[in-house]
Amino acid sequence: MKTRDRILLVSLDLFNRDGIAQVSTLIIATEMGISPGNLYYHFRGKDEIIATLVTELQNSLTTISNEYPQQVKDFDDYWPFMHTIMALFTHYRFLFRNLDNLNGQSPQIKRKIRTLILKLRNLSNDMLAHLISLGKLKCDDNSLPLLADNLLLVSLNWLNYQTLLDDKYSETDLIRAGVLRLISMVEPYLTESAKSPFYTHQDLLDELVN
């Protein structure tokens, strides 16, 4: 693996584990066993590392956005995409735990964070609109943006909320529980053609509380 890629990988792990404020470029270099000068050869500082990680997430979201209309033909296809998105949020969880602090960082990072949130908002809205176009969701023009925003709010804050209640969950369980809660928000808007006879609203509630 190239040094630049290792820097991003180690930085992401440290940011996720310890938080942005507690991680300096010196700590990153020490963790990698390289000199600070070697790190600065690839990145001018911590802000540039953060900005690059945000760009990585944005690129992944662009891929998901492009693939979604072709791969989702029924509501059952919606689940895997929600799982992928929640897994991405978990992978880059330091961003969503530090949104307020990041928004007060350099103008470059502030712009990137705003662009990221707007992209996520549009993606949430587009995913629901696609389900409506397939006849799987019934949601009027006034309710659609509200539902899209609520789904995004839960997605962004789910990990923090659950780990505050109980930090013993595995990452896989956290992602699954988060997706179930998102589905529970969408379920009341499903049309009859989208509902599975083998999976009822009560089944979903039972999974949420277990």
mmCIF file of all heavy atoms in Angstrom, residues 2 9 27 96 98 108 116 131 150 165 191 197:
data_model
loop_
_atom_site.group_PDB
_atom_site.id
_atom_site.type_symbol
_atom_site.label_atom_id
_atom_site.label_comp_id
_atom_site.label_asym_id
_atom_site.label_seq_id
_atom_site.Cartn_x
_atom_site.Cartn_y
_atom_site.Cartn_z
ATOM 1 N N LYS A 2 0.511 2.226 -0.823
ATOM 2 C CA LYS A 2 1.274 3.460 -0.899
ATOM 3 C C LYS A 2 1.183 4.236 0.414
ATOM 4 O O LYS A 2 0.194 4.142 1.137
ATOM 5 C CB LYS A 2 0.758 4.321 -2.051
ATOM 6 C CG LYS A 2 0.964 3.701 -3.431
ATOM 7 C CD LYS A 2 0.432 4.611 -4.509
ATOM 8 C CE LYS A 2 0.658 4.013 -5.893
ATOM 9 N NZ LYS A 2 0.117 4.887 -6.966
ATOM 10 N N LEU A 9 -5.700 5.749 5.794
ATOM 11 C CA LEU A 9 -6.261 4.611 6.520
ATOM 12 C C LEU A 9 -6.009 4.737 8.024
ATOM 13 O O LEU A 9 -6.931 4.552 8.844
ATOM 14 C CB LEU A 9 -5.654 3.313 5.993
ATOM 15 C CG LEU A 9 -6.274 2.010 6.492
ATOM 16 C CD1 LEU A 9 -7.716 1.890 6.029
ATOM 17 C CD2 LEU A 9 -5.465 0.811 5.991
ATOM 18 N N ILE A 27 0.898 12.482 15.968
ATOM 19 C CA ILE A 27 0.369 11.195 16.433
ATOM 20 C C ILE A 27 0.170 10.248 15.253
ATOM 21 O O ILE A 27 0.481 9.054 15.337
ATOM 22 C CB ILE A 27 -0.956 11.406 17.195
ATOM 23 C CG1 ILE A 27 -0.682 12.082 18.547
ATOM 24 C CG2 ILE A 27 -1.693 10.085 17.402
ATOM 25 C CD1 ILE A 27 -1.932 12.453 19.320
ATOM 26 N N PHE A 96 -19.455 12.424 11.412
ATOM 27 C CA PHE A 96 -20.792 12.713 11.922
ATOM 28 C C PHE A 96 -20.801 12.931 13.428
ATOM 29 O O PHE A 96 -21.762 13.468 13.975
ATOM 30 C CB PHE A 96 -21.740 11.595 11.504
ATOM 31 C CG PHE A 96 -21.688 11.350 10.023
ATOM 32 C CD1 PHE A 96 -21.138 10.183 9.512
ATOM 33 C CD2 PHE A 96 -22.136 12.304 9.127
ATOM 34 C CE1 PHE A 96 -21.057 9.969 8.150
ATOM 35 C CE2 PHE A 96 -22.059 12.100 7.755
ATOM 36 C CZ PHE A 96 -21.515 10.937 7.272
ATOM 37 N N ASN A 98 -18.507 14.819 14.714
ATOM 38 C CA ASN A 98 -17.812 16.100 14.876
ATOM 39 C C ASN A 98 -18.297 17.150 13.883
ATOM 40 O O ASN A 98 -17.535 18.038 13.498
ATOM 41 C CB ASN A 98 -16.303 15.905 14.699
ATOM 42 C CG ASN A 98 -15.676 15.016 15.749
ATOM 43 O OD1 ASN A 98 -15.253 15.474 16.795
ATOM 44 N ND2 ASN A 98 -15.612 13.721 15.466
ATOM 45 N N GLN A 108 -12.176 25.493 3.657
ATOM 46 C CA GLN A 108 -12.196 24.349 2.749
ATOM 47 C C GLN A 108 -13.042 23.216 3.326
ATOM 48 O O GLN A 108 -13.895 22.650 2.623
ATOM 49 C CB GLN A 108 -10.772 23.853 2.485
ATOM 50 C CG GLN A 108 -10.724 22.624 1.561
ATOM 51 C CD GLN A 108 -9.373 21.932 1.557
ATOM 52 O OE1 GLN A 108 -8.583 22.114 2.491
ATOM 53 N NE2 GLN A 108 -9.095 21.144 0.536
ATOM 54 N N LEU A 116 -21.323 17.904 1.350
ATOM 55 C CA LEU A 116 -21.630 16.522 1.725
ATOM 56 C C LEU A 116 -23.064 16.399 2.232
ATOM 57 O O LEU A 116 -23.810 15.506 1.803
ATOM 58 C CB LEU A 116 -20.645 16.037 2.793
ATOM 59 C CG LEU A 116 -20.942 14.676 3.426
ATOM 60 C CD1 LEU A 116 -20.839 13.570 2.374
ATOM 61 C CD2 LEU A 116 -19.999 14.410 4.595
ATOM 62 N N LEU A 131 -38.808 5.346 -5.391
ATOM 63 C CA LEU A 131 -39.784 4.360 -4.915
ATOM 64 C C LEU A 131 -41.204 4.795 -5.265
ATOM 65 O O LEU A 131 -42.060 3.958 -5.594
ATOM 66 C CB LEU A 131 -39.645 4.173 -3.402
ATOM 67 C CG LEU A 131 -38.391 3.452 -2.907
ATOM 68 C CD1 LEU A 131 -38.365 3.432 -1.387
ATOM 69 C CD2 LEU A 131 -38.333 2.031 -3.453
ATOM 70 N N ASN A 150 -36.002 13.490 7.708
ATOM 71 C CA ASN A 150 -36.042 12.685 8.932
ATOM 72 C C ASN A 150 -35.193 11.424 8.799
ATOM 73 O O ASN A 150 -34.502 11.024 9.746
ATOM 74 C CB ASN A 150 -37.488 12.322 9.274
ATOM 75 C CG ASN A 150 -38.270 13.497 9.820
ATOM 76 O OD1 ASN A 150 -37.686 14.474 10.287
ATOM 77 N ND2 ASN A 150 -39.586 13.419 9.766
ATOM 78 N N LEU A 165 -26.235 4.806 24.591
ATOM 79 C CA LEU A 165 -27.086 3.926 25.390
ATOM 80 C C LEU A 165 -26.368 2.639 25.764
ATOM 81 O O LEU A 165 -26.485 2.150 26.889
ATOM 82 C CB LEU A 165 -28.359 3.577 24.600
ATOM 83 C CG LEU A 165 -29.331 4.723 24.328
ATOM 84 C CD1 LEU A 165 -30.496 4.219 23.488
ATOM 85 C CD2 LEU A 165 -29.856 5.324 25.639
ATOM 86 N N THR A 191 -47.062 1.297 -0.367
ATOM 87 C CA THR A 191 -48.294 0.882 -1.037
ATOM 88 C C THR A 191 -48.473 -0.620 -0.824
ATOM 89 O O THR A 191 -47.542 -1.320 -0.397
ATOM 90 C CB THR A 191 -48.222 1.179 -2.547
ATOM 91 O OG1 THR A 191 -47.128 0.437 -3.114
ATOM 92 C CG2 THR A 191 -48.016 2.663 -2.799
ATOM 93 N N PRO A 197 -46.125 -10.226 2.163
ATOM 94 C CA PRO A 197 -47.039 -10.986 3.022
ATOM 95 C C PRO A 197 -46.304 -11.789 4.091
ATOM 96 O O PRO A 197 -46.900 -12.257 5.039
ATOM 97 C CB PRO A 197 -47.743 -11.928 2.030
ATOM 98 C CG PRO A 197 -46.779 -12.074 0.902
ATOM 99 C CD PRO A 197 -46.082 -10.745 0.798
#
